[in-house]
Amino acid sequence: MPTSRSYQDACGIARALDVVGERWALLVVRELLLGPQRFSDLRSGLPGASSNLVADRLRELAGRGVIRRRRLAPPAASWVYELTDWGRELEPIVLALGGWGLTVPLPATPTTLSATSVLLFLRGSARPDPQAPATYRLELDDQVWTVRTVAGRAHIQPGEPADADASLRTDPRTLNALLENPDLLADAISDGSAAAAGDLPALRRLLRAVTSPAA
Amino acid sequence: MPTSRSYQDACGIARALDVVGERWALLVVRELLLGPQRFSDLRSGLPGASSNLVADRLRELAGRGVIRRRRLAPPAASWVYELTDWGRELEPIVLALGGWGLTVPLPATPTTLSATSVLLFLRGSARPDPQAPATYRLELDDQVWTVRTVAGRAHIQPGEPADADASLRTDPRTLNALLENPDLLADAISDGSAAAAGDLPALRRLLRAVTSPAA
DNA sequence: CCGCATCCGTTTCGATACTG
DNA sequence: CAGTATCGAAACGGATGCGG
């Protein structure tokens, strides 16, 4: 019986940690914050976790009701994991923890950075010009995301956009660098680490929405 | 070198968990949210953690700058642990996590409940009558706390109050029950699980401030 | 007694290999 | 693609020891 060990403490903090306090659990939640993901998507977002670990956490979190396993409609016929309504209530907490974590020094050795992590940062920090709503197609490590800027906020979903003003194909680390310094876009394109198409001024506006938020 | 293992992930959430994601770490932070505590206080607040575990976590959290070890002024000449300013920034996050955790079913087997846990709940939930500020002496498992109700809020500190309107001596679990149902106070006193002194109506107002918050 | 350190059995983690 | 099986290494958890 893999009944995960409990703190046996009636305090709410301990009870929360009984559910999401195990190693990797909150990072699995993080990966699902922007929408349903398949097992292999989760694995590539959590390259440091072994496959059995990811499988264990998914089983436990599903058993606790934080996430759910769902079958995609045909012809996809694949399985995805997604947060339940209850699990989604962790979102502000996890994001606040992430804000605090930005003040933690970066690990010295080379680090990973998942697409979801960068996109959560983008969504949380971008203040796009409300006068110029736009839709973008972002392809990060072969996964496609839809980004829409509406009413001064960025909305992000996994999957293809119906219609995009501009598109960008790159990797999470490069996108992160571009969000810190949008002027690097030309360099990234010329050295092949990024490829852009469509309304490039709109794309620049998106990248600048983090460093130069609209008033 | 007990250099705790890192997620090696640049995401803020992962970096936060590198610091406070280990087992028991956030519960140590919880125990310090209301003020400095000695090693033995921490141990009695975390009865499920072995002594070496507590010592390990304290060392790690101190090394990371979340907490600090400080010598009390003579004649106490003892050591206490306390949150640094940086560690204190975890407070809203930990409290939010605790709020979510209240929706987690209680562990089946008998649970512990630390004085800090109940007092955090009291502080977070009590809406005392702003018209009747008061100071209380609370003695929980031989540790003394000062509770002051001011401006519709409860303020809590470890240690003796300078001057108390009323005092209550009990254990965390009984106090928790009394906060849920203040009418049990007479029973608790008569069966010896609580002892009260001073302005008893004021004490009843404190207990009722959680279930019947002032408008 | 307080504040740990050491020892040791058990559980979990993490890497690799493997299967439907 | 979506996991399971296996196994050594690390961490946890309980008991005990020990200096101040």
Side-chain angles (χ1 to χ4, degrees):
Chain A
M1 274 315 92
T3 171
S4 86
R5 98 200 117 162
S6 162
Y7 287 107
Q8 308 276 55
D9 188 320
C11 168
I13 299 162
R15 282 151 71 192
L17 292 173
D18 277 345
V19 176
V20 294
E22 282 171 309
R23 195 162 166 78
W24 294 104
L26 279 181
L27 296 186
V28 169
V29 172
R30 174 194 80 188
E31 288 299 309
L32 296 178
L33 283 180
L34 291 177
Q37 299 277 287
R38 290 173 306 166
F39 186 85
S40 52
D41 299 330
L42 291 167
R43 281 224 65 192
S44 61
L46 304 166
S50 57
S51 54
N52 54 17
L53 237 298
V54 175
D56 284 353
R57 288 299 165 271
L58 290 171
R59 222 189 331 267
E60 290 165 11
L61 290 171
R64 299 293 212 133
V66 176
I67 69 175
R68 165 178 38 223
R69 189 169 183 254
R70 185 165 59 86
R71 199 184 236 319
L72 286 183
S78 171
W79 294 93
V80 291
Y81 296 87
E82 64 187 357
L83 292 173
T84 61
D85 288 344
W86 187 51
R88 187 159 299 285
E89 292 173 24
L90 286 168
E91 178 165 347
I93 301 165
V94 172
L95 294 180
L97 189 65
W100 186 82
L102 293 180
T103 68
V104 175
L106 266 173
T109 54
T111 56
T112 67
L113 186 62
S114 77
T116 297
S117 299
V118 199
L119 293 174
L120 283 170
F121 174 71
L122 170 62
R123 192 188 64 173
S125 307
R127 296 295 175 270
D129 184 353
Q131 305 307 315
T135 300
Y136 304 88
R137 180 186 192 274
L138 247 55
E139 186 176 336
L140 295 167
D141 289 346
D142 295 328
Q143 225 196 328
V144 177
W145 302 81
T146 297
V147 178
R148 259 189 303 256
T149 58
V150 183
R153 288 290 187 156
H155 297 260
I156 302 182
Q157 295 177 358
E160 291 282 353
D163 189 29
D165 297 293
S167 62
L168 178 69
R169 174 161 43 84
T170 183
D171 59 282
R173 185 162 298 282
T174 300
L175 176 56
N176 192 55
L178 292 177
L179 292 176
E180 286 179 9
N181 183 0
D183 296 335
L184 296 174
L185 179 59
D187 293 351
I189 291 176
S190 66
D191 74 14
S193 58
D199 185 347
L200 293 191
L203 188 53
R204 283 179 211 285
R205 284 201 307 277
L206 175 65
L207 295 177
R208 288 208 195 92
V210 170
T211 45
S212 317
Chain B
M1 268 323 86
T3 172
S4 83
R5 77 202 138 158
S6 162
Y7 287 107
Q8 308 277 55
D9 188 320
C11 168
I13 298 162
R15 282 149 72 189
L17 293 173
D18 278 344
V19 176
V20 294
E22 281 171 308
R23 194 164 167 76
W24 295 105
L26 279 180
L27 296 185
V28 169
V29 171
R30 174 194 79 189
E31 288 300 308
L32 296 177
L33 284 180
L34 290 177
Q37 299 277 285
R38 290 174 308 166
F39 186 86
S40 50
D41 300 329
L42 291 167
R43 282 225 63 192
S44 61
L46 304 166
S50 58
S51 56
N52 53 21
L53 239 297
V54 176
D56 284 353
R57 288 299 165 271
L58 290 172
R59 220 189 335 267
E60 290 165 11
L61 290 172
R64 298 293 210 135
V66 176
I67 69 175
R68 166 180 35 224
R69 190 170 183 251
R70 185 165 59 87
R71 201 184 232 323
L72 285 183
S78 171
W79 294 92
V80 290
Y81 295 87
E82 63 186 359
L83 292 172
T84 62
D85 289 343
W86 187 51
R88 186 159 301 285
E89 293 174 23
L90 286 168
E91 178 165 348
I93 300 165
V94 172
L95 294 179
L97 189 64
W100 186 81
L102 293 180
T103 67
V104 175
L106 266 172
T109 54
T111 57
T112 67
L113 186 63
S114 78
T116 298
S117 299
V118 199
L119 294 173
L120 283 170
F121 174 71
L122 169 63
R123 192 188 64 173
S125 307
R127 296 295 174 270
D129 183 354
Q131 304 306 316
T135 300
Y136 304 87
R137 179 186 192 274
L138 246 56
E139 187 176 336
L140 295 168
D141 289 345
D142 296 327
Q143 227 198 326
V144 177
W145 302 81
T146 298
V147 178
R148 260 188 303 254
T149 57
V150 184
R153 288 291 187 156
H155 297 261
I156 302 182
Q157 295 176 358
E160 292 281 353
D163 188 29
D165 297 293
S167 61
L168 178 68
R169 175 161 43 85
T170 182
D171 60 282
R173 184 161 300 281
T174 301
L175 177 56
N176 192 55
L178 291 176
L179 292 176
E180 286 179 8
N181 183 1
D183 295 336
L184 296 173
L185 179 58
D187 294 350
I189 291 176
S190 67
D191 73 14
S193 58
D199 185 347
L200 293 191
L203 189 54
R204 284 178 211 284
R205 285 202 305 276
L206 175 65
L207 296 177
R208 289 208 195 93
V210 171
T211 45
S212 317

